[in-house]
Amino acid sequence: EYQWKGPFYFIQGADPQFGLLKAWTHGDTNNGDDEWGEEIKLAEQAVQAINKLNPKPKFFVLCGDLVHGMPGSRWKKNQEQDLKDVLKNTDQDIPLVFVSGNHDIGNTPTRETIDGYCKNWGDDYFSFWVGGVFFLVLNSQLYFDSSACPELRQAQDAWLDEQLAVAANQKCKHIIVFQHIPLFLSKPDEDHEYFNLDKSVRQEIMEKFHKAGVRAVFSGHYHRNAGGSYKGLEMVVSSAIGCQLGQDTHGLRVVVVTEEKVVHKYYSLTELGSHGIEKELLDLLAKQ
């Protein structure tokens, strides 16, 4: 879909992370993830809320940390199977887009952990078009720590440059990026910590995105809502479907794409399930 066809919207979710609630409550984030009944219920609530929406979203993107178990950990396979069983109930007309997070491929990913993810969930980076808008899914772990697979980081970098050149040639309406780890949480020059990317890497990516005209980057990882902007590039950090580490509620973000702008709002699962999308956003969709 290279051509603009009018406004549309998609749903962004992040961090269903089956197993974290119990692990976090018990203070054992390495081995405490042996129960995830609560997360199953939350993921089911998310799918039910999305299925009720009218008009339907163009797609549902999950920005990483699908489950809590790290590669090779005891419960990972069961957690993944349970998540797939929940997601299978998503309306057949709403495609699912998966983004790899640190729990999906490891804090220091290897070729093996990335291959395992790809077999299970699809490519770790790829692009797609929806109605004249160009979307890029990136593997942010390669920016966080590619020490065990530097050649994969180089491959993604080369691919990204190529894709941004394609987008420029095709005169797309907007470029929107999905990745798990935010570039930054509130300020482009904030210090590096666990929840954002290293400053030098971040600066390079932000500048590349800015030059290419990327409109927004959507991510998860923080389990809280946050965000800011860099030279017109918006960084949107969405809280989790699963375990909350701040004051936000379990929720999903509704993102409306119009010819001029990208407008979004975070809804709690309960709110979206019982009231749907508010009139202001629906009005944007109706404008042709």
Side-chain angles (χ1 to χ4, degrees):
E1 294 189 352
Y2 295 130
Q3 302 307 313
W4 176 252
K5 303 217 176 87
F8 64 87
Y9 81 102
F10 63 86
I11 300 289
Q12 183 219 6
D15 304 271
Q17 208 158 343
F18 284 20
L20 177 59
L21 274 165
K22 163 105 189 279
W24 187 255
T25 321
H26 287 248
D28 179 5
T29 49
N30 292 331
N31 309 300
D33 60 332
D34 59 344
E35 284 173 25
W36 50 90
E38 196 54 42
E39 282 102 338
I40 289 177
K41 283 194 198 113
L42 290 162
E44 283 172 345
Q45 200 182 343
V47 168
Q48 282 156 9
I50 291 168
N51 287 348
K52 275 168 126 171
L53 295 172
N54 184 22
K56 291 186 205 302
K58 282 285 190 178
F59 59 88
F60 171 28
V61 58
L62 270 173
C63 283
D65 282 2
L66 305 172
V67 303
H68 183 67
M70 287 281 188
S73 64
R74 186 170 173 195
W75 305 107
K76 189 174 184 69
K77 280 204 165 45
N78 302 51
Q79 289 167 352
E80 289 184 326
Q81 190 51 57
D82 283 354
L83 178 60
K84 286 180 183 179
D85 289 343
V86 172
L87 294 174
K88 274 176 195 159
N89 297 317
T90 310
D91 185 313
Q92 293 298 303
D93 296 327
I94 304 171
L96 293 168
V97 177
F98 296 107
V99 181
S100 62
N102 56 309
H103 282 264
D104 305 309
I105 56 177
N107 287 320
T108 305
T110 63
R111 190 174 276 281
E112 289 67 42
T113 63
I114 292 174
D115 283 350
Y117 169 86
C118 293
K119 283 195 185 81
N120 240 327
W121 302 102
D123 292 342
D124 59 323
Y125 58 90
F126 56 96
S127 64
F128 60 98
W129 287 84
V130 175
V133 176
F134 192 49
F135 291 93
L136 290 161
V137 170
L138 296 178
N139 177 346
S140 55
Q141 276 331 106
L142 294 174
Y143 294 128
F144 192 80
D145 181 2
S146 62
S147 57
C149 55
E151 73 289 354
L152 297 184
R153 158 84 192 266
Q154 285 160 358
Q156 176 170 262
D157 282 344
W159 173 87
L160 178 58
D161 290 342
E162 218 170 82
Q163 294 292 308
L164 292 172
V166 166
N169 287 339
Q170 290 282 0
K171 307 273 186 287
C172 58
K173 271 289 174 237
H174 304 292
I175 306 172
I176 294 174
V177 174
F178 299 119
Q179 58 186 56
H180 178 62
I181 302 180
L183 296 167
F184 58 89
L185 298 173
S186 57
K187 295 190 193 69
D189 58 351
E190 69 198 17
D191 289 337
H192 168 54
E193 44 123 327
Y194 175 76
F195 287 113
N196 62 20
L197 290 178
D198 185 270
K199 271 174 121 164
S200 60
V201 177
R202 178 197 315 167
Q203 188 56 43
E204 191 187 322
I205 299 171
M206 289 190 307
E207 212 28 58
K208 182 181 286 193
F209 285 175
H210 164 64
K211 285 195 177 119
V214 174
R215 179 58 63 107
V217 177
F218 288 88
S219 68
H221 189 52
Y222 192 42
H223 295 255
R224 286 159 279 228
N225 286 311
S229 66
Y230 171 82
K231 298 185 183 176
L233 164 73
E234 191 183 3
M235 180 68 242
V236 185
V237 185
S238 293
S239 198
I241 292 171
C243 185
Q244 300 299 314
L245 301 182
Q247 301 309 305
D248 295 295
T249 49
H250 308 282
L252 294 164
R253 193 174 291 278
V254 173
V255 186
V256 176
V257 183
T258 73
E259 197 155 4
E260 289 79 42
K261 53 194 180 182
V262 176
V263 185
H264 52 85
K265 182 177 183 219
Y266 186 84
Y267 289 85
S268 75
L269 296 179
T270 314
E271 195 183 358
L272 193 62
S274 53
H275 302 298
I277 301 170
E278 69 203 58
K279 188 176 180 312
E280 269 170 277
L281 291 182
L282 289 171
D283 287 349
L284 289 174
L285 290 172
K287 284 182 186 150
Q288 288 296 349

